[in-house]
Amino acid sequence: MVTADFEPGCGLLEELRHEGSDLILMTKGVLIARYNGSDHELHAGDCAQWSAGYPHSFRNDSDETAQFIGVLFSSLY
């Protein structure tokens, strides 16, 4: 489990790609989740889950801090 805070204009410099799956719960603000080449706008209260084997990243294009709680699940096989 991780928490992440993104100040306005901040984001990851590189896309992530790893085994397992991710579950993201937005707790504050608006964040752009880029998944496998497509952008998805997530707002506080939104939840998203995806296979982590595809490229993914996050950025905050808004004027307010964005925050999420993430649970990273490893494959069991």
Side-chain angles (χ1 to χ4, degrees), residues 2-20:
V2 299
T3 59
D5 295 294
F6 290 84
E7 295 300 321
C10 290
L12 298 180
L13 297 176
E14 296 181 19
E15 290 185 321
L16 305 172
R17 190 178 208 166
H18 53 90
E19 228 179 271

mmCIF file of all heavy atoms in Angstrom, residues 2-20:
data_model
loop_
_atom_site.group_PDB
_atom_site.id
_atom_site.type_symbol
_atom_site.label_atom_id
_atom_site.label_comp_id
_atom_site.label_asym_id
_atom_site.label_seq_id
_atom_site.Cartn_x
_atom_site.Cartn_y
_atom_site.Cartn_z
ATOM 1 N N VAL A 2 0.520 2.202 -0.804
ATOM 2 C CA VAL A 2 1.271 3.457 -0.893
ATOM 3 C C VAL A 2 0.307 4.631 -0.897
ATOM 4 O O VAL A 2 -0.863 4.482 -1.244
ATOM 5 C CB VAL A 2 2.148 3.519 -2.170
ATOM 6 C CG1 VAL A 2 3.173 2.419 -2.191
ATOM 7 C CG2 VAL A 2 1.298 3.473 -3.420
ATOM 8 N N THR A 3 0.815 5.785 -0.499
ATOM 9 C CA THR A 3 0.076 7.029 -0.683
ATOM 10 C C THR A 3 0.938 7.921 -1.569
ATOM 11 O O THR A 3 2.170 7.823 -1.551
ATOM 12 C CB THR A 3 -0.223 7.756 0.645
ATOM 13 O OG1 THR A 3 1.008 8.055 1.293
ATOM 14 C CG2 THR A 3 -1.098 6.902 1.544
ATOM 15 N N ALA A 4 0.305 8.747 -2.347
ATOM 16 C CA ALA A 4 1.044 9.647 -3.235
ATOM 17 C C ALA A 4 0.364 11.002 -3.266
ATOM 18 O O ALA A 4 -0.861 11.086 -3.336
ATOM 19 C CB ALA A 4 1.114 9.060 -4.633
ATOM 20 N N ASP A 5 1.176 12.036 -3.173
ATOM 21 C CA ASP A 5 0.707 13.413 -3.290
ATOM 22 C C ASP A 5 1.346 14.027 -4.518
ATOM 23 O O ASP A 5 2.563 13.906 -4.712
ATOM 24 C CB ASP A 5 1.114 14.233 -2.060
ATOM 25 C CG ASP A 5 0.438 13.749 -0.801
ATOM 26 O OD1 ASP A 5 -0.789 13.880 -0.718
ATOM 27 O OD2 ASP A 5 1.138 13.240 0.096
ATOM 28 N N PHE A 6 0.536 14.691 -5.345
ATOM 29 C CA PHE A 6 1.020 15.359 -6.541
ATOM 30 C C PHE A 6 0.661 16.832 -6.449
ATOM 31 O O PHE A 6 -0.515 17.181 -6.483
ATOM 32 C CB PHE A 6 0.398 14.749 -7.801
ATOM 33 C CG PHE A 6 0.886 13.372 -8.119
ATOM 34 C CD1 PHE A 6 0.318 12.264 -7.511
ATOM 35 C CD2 PHE A 6 1.910 13.183 -9.031
ATOM 36 C CE1 PHE A 6 0.766 10.986 -7.803
ATOM 37 C CE2 PHE A 6 2.363 11.913 -9.330
ATOM 38 C CZ PHE A 6 1.800 10.809 -8.716
ATOM 39 N N GLU A 7 1.665 17.679 -6.346
ATOM 40 C CA GLU A 7 1.436 19.119 -6.334
ATOM 41 C C GLU A 7 1.005 19.550 -7.740
ATOM 42 O O GLU A 7 1.235 18.837 -8.718
ATOM 43 C CB GLU A 7 2.709 19.856 -5.915
ATOM 44 C CG GLU A 7 3.134 19.574 -4.481
ATOM 45 C CD GLU A 7 2.088 19.967 -3.459
ATOM 46 O OE1 GLU A 7 1.434 21.022 -3.644
ATOM 47 O OE2 GLU A 7 1.907 19.225 -2.483
ATOM 48 N N PRO A 8 0.398 20.730 -7.871
ATOM 49 C CA PRO A 8 -0.010 21.209 -9.196
ATOM 50 C C PRO A 8 1.161 21.195 -10.179
ATOM 51 O O PRO A 8 2.273 21.603 -9.844
ATOM 52 C CB PRO A 8 -0.473 22.646 -8.921
ATOM 53 C CG PRO A 8 -0.936 22.616 -7.498
ATOM 54 C CD PRO A 8 0.008 21.669 -6.807
ATOM 55 N N GLY A 9 0.917 20.666 -11.362
ATOM 56 C CA GLY A 9 1.932 20.622 -12.403
ATOM 57 C C GLY A 9 2.935 19.484 -12.289
ATOM 58 O O GLY A 9 3.798 19.342 -13.136
ATOM 59 N N CYS A 10 2.822 18.657 -11.252
ATOM 60 C CA CYS A 10 3.773 17.562 -11.049
ATOM 61 C C CYS A 10 3.266 16.253 -11.656
ATOM 62 O O CYS A 10 2.074 16.072 -11.845
ATOM 63 C CB CYS A 10 4.021 17.334 -9.566
ATOM 64 S SG CYS A 10 4.956 18.655 -8.807
ATOM 65 N N GLY A 11 4.193 15.360 -11.908
ATOM 66 C CA GLY A 11 3.845 14.043 -12.416
ATOM 67 C C GLY A 11 5.060 13.143 -12.419
ATOM 68 O O GLY A 11 6.166 13.573 -12.089
ATOM 69 N N LEU A 12 4.863 11.910 -12.785
ATOM 70 C CA LEU A 12 5.974 10.971 -12.880
ATOM 71 C C LEU A 12 6.779 11.262 -14.144
ATOM 72 O O LEU A 12 6.212 11.566 -15.191
ATOM 73 C CB LEU A 12 5.464 9.536 -12.922
ATOM 74 C CG LEU A 12 4.683 9.058 -11.696
ATOM 75 C CD1 LEU A 12 4.246 7.611 -11.886
ATOM 76 C CD2 LEU A 12 5.513 9.194 -10.437
ATOM 77 N N LEU A 13 8.082 11.153 -14.069
ATOM 78 C CA LEU A 13 8.942 11.412 -15.216
ATOM 79 C C LEU A 13 8.956 10.254 -16.198
ATOM 80 O O LEU A 13 9.162 10.447 -17.391
ATOM 81 C CB LEU A 13 10.366 11.702 -14.749
ATOM 82 C CG LEU A 13 10.535 12.951 -13.895
ATOM 83 C CD1 LEU A 13 11.985 13.075 -13.412
ATOM 84 C CD2 LEU A 13 10.127 14.194 -14.669
ATOM 85 N N GLU A 14 8.740 9.042 -15.693
ATOM 86 C CA GLU A 14 8.744 7.850 -16.542
ATOM 87 C C GLU A 14 7.494 7.031 -16.275
ATOM 88 O O GLU A 14 6.952 7.056 -15.169
ATOM 89 C CB GLU A 14 9.971 6.999 -16.250
ATOM 90 C CG GLU A 14 11.283 7.675 -16.573
ATOM 91 C CD GLU A 14 12.469 6.777 -16.287
ATOM 92 O OE1 GLU A 14 12.293 5.548 -16.195
ATOM 93 O OE2 GLU A 14 13.576 7.315 -16.152
ATOM 94 N N GLU A 15 7.074 6.277 -17.278
ATOM 95 C CA GLU A 15 5.935 5.380 -17.086
ATOM 96 C C GLU A 15 6.386 4.154 -16.288
ATOM 97 O O GLU A 15 7.521 3.704 -16.412
ATOM 98 C CB GLU A 15 5.367 4.946 -18.439
ATOM 99 C CG GLU A 15 4.682 6.080 -19.163
ATOM 100 C CD GLU A 15 4.004 5.630 -20.437
ATOM 101 O OE1 GLU A 15 4.564 4.779 -21.154
ATOM 102 O OE2 GLU A 15 2.906 6.140 -20.707
ATOM 103 N N LEU A 16 5.482 3.646 -15.470
ATOM 104 C CA LEU A 16 5.732 2.446 -14.675
ATOM 105 C C LEU A 16 5.232 1.229 -15.431
ATOM 106 O O LEU A 16 4.301 1.324 -16.238
ATOM 107 C CB LEU A 16 5.000 2.544 -13.334
ATOM 108 C CG LEU A 16 5.290 3.777 -12.487
ATOM 109 C CD1 LEU A 16 4.346 3.802 -11.296
ATOM 110 C CD2 LEU A 16 6.731 3.781 -12.040
ATOM 111 N N ARG A 17 5.826 0.088 -15.132
ATOM 112 C CA ARG A 17 5.384 -1.173 -15.711
ATOM 113 C C ARG A 17 5.952 -2.269 -14.808
ATOM 114 O O ARG A 17 7.165 -2.328 -14.611
ATOM 115 C CB ARG A 17 5.928 -1.300 -17.125
ATOM 116 C CG ARG A 17 5.359 -2.414 -17.910
ATOM 117 C CD ARG A 17 5.955 -2.386 -19.301
ATOM 118 N NE ARG A 17 4.992 -2.959 -20.213
ATOM 119 C CZ ARG A 17 5.038 -2.871 -21.499
ATOM 120 N NH1 ARG A 17 6.013 -2.211 -22.077
ATOM 121 N NH2 ARG A 17 4.130 -3.434 -22.248
ATOM 122 N N HIS A 18 5.079 -3.078 -14.238
ATOM 123 C CA HIS A 18 5.538 -4.108 -13.305
ATOM 124 C C HIS A 18 4.526 -5.239 -13.241
ATOM 125 O O HIS A 18 3.432 -5.143 -13.810
ATOM 126 C CB HIS A 18 5.786 -3.504 -11.923
ATOM 127 C CG HIS A 18 4.626 -2.739 -11.374
ATOM 128 N ND1 HIS A 18 3.652 -3.311 -10.609
ATOM 129 C CD2 HIS A 18 4.280 -1.433 -11.520
ATOM 130 C CE1 HIS A 18 2.756 -2.396 -10.282
ATOM 131 N NE2 HIS A 18 3.106 -1.254 -10.824
ATOM 132 N N GLU A 19 4.879 -6.290 -12.541
ATOM 133 C CA GLU A 19 4.004 -7.442 -12.396
ATOM 134 C C GLU A 19 2.798 -7.115 -11.522
ATOM 135 O O GLU A 19 2.862 -6.205 -10.696
ATOM 136 C CB GLU A 19 4.798 -8.566 -11.704
ATOM 137 C CG GLU A 19 4.675 -9.901 -12.379
ATOM 138 C CD GLU A 19 5.493 -10.932 -11.648
ATOM 139 O OE1 GLU A 19 6.664 -11.060 -11.994
ATOM 140 O OE2 GLU A 19 4.927 -11.592 -10.749
ATOM 141 N N GLY A 20 1.720 -7.848 -11.674
ATOM 142 C CA GLY A 20 0.557 -7.727 -10.804
ATOM 143 C C GLY A 20 -0.478 -6.733 -11.289
ATOM 144 O O GLY A 20 -0.591 -6.448 -12.476
#
